[in-house]
Structure formats: structure tokens, C-alpha cells
Amino acid sequence: QLHDHHDPSATSTRRTEQHRADEVARAFFWQTPGAMCPYIISALLLGWMGEPTHDNIETIHLQYMILVGIGILPSLLVLVILSRRVWQKY
């Protein structure tokens, strides 16, 4: 007679695979907004500060510095979150 029994390792493996798939899906989701943000912010800066000209080169530098500064914020957020997780373990 065959007995049906539940294999706990199979359930654990399925959960691990599902967790991994969820993480990959999140990473792919955030690629599009991350790729579009610099263009959107640049368009907003152009609308706010006006079109730069050769006579007003400082505007180009300021727009670039603002764009880079805003781009650094997500990286800093990740570093802070990860460093907190590491320090909580110790």
C-alpha cells in the first residue's frame, strides 16, 4: 500500500524559489522608473530654470549638479538600510 506523505523540504524549496522570483520581479520593476527619472528631472529642471545658453553656462552646471545630487539619494538610502541591518546583527 502506498502512503502519501508530505515532504517538508519540498515545501521549503518552493518557498525559497518563490522568494527569489519575487526579488527578481521587484528588481526588474524598478529598472524602468530608475531609467526614466533622470530624463523627467532634467525636463523639470529645464522648465523651472529655463533653457541654458552659451552666455549662462552656470545654469548648465547647476542643473547637472542638482541632477547628480538627486541621483545620489537612492544609493544613500540603500547604504543606510543595509548598514543598519549589518549593525543589528552584531
Side-chain angles (χ1 to χ4, degrees), residues 1-59:
Q1 180 179 28
L2 294 173
H3 294 286
D4 290 334
H5 71 283
H6 179 68
D7 184 10
S9 64
T11 304
S12 175
T13 303
R14 268 188 245 116
R15 270 195 224 129
T16 304
E17 289 174 359
Q18 183 61 41
H19 178 68
R20 191 175 304 141
D22 290 344
E23 286 183 357
V24 170
R26 278 191 215 108
F28 278 118
F29 171 79
W30 285 109
Q31 279 185 339
T32 302
M36 291 178 61
C37 272
Y39 298 104
I40 293 169
I41 293 171
S42 294
L44 291 172
L45 286 172
L46 279 174
W48 177 52
M49 300 177 86
E51 182 112 8
T53 62
H54 292 289
D55 298 332
N56 193 6
I57 196 76
E58 293 84 20
T59 303

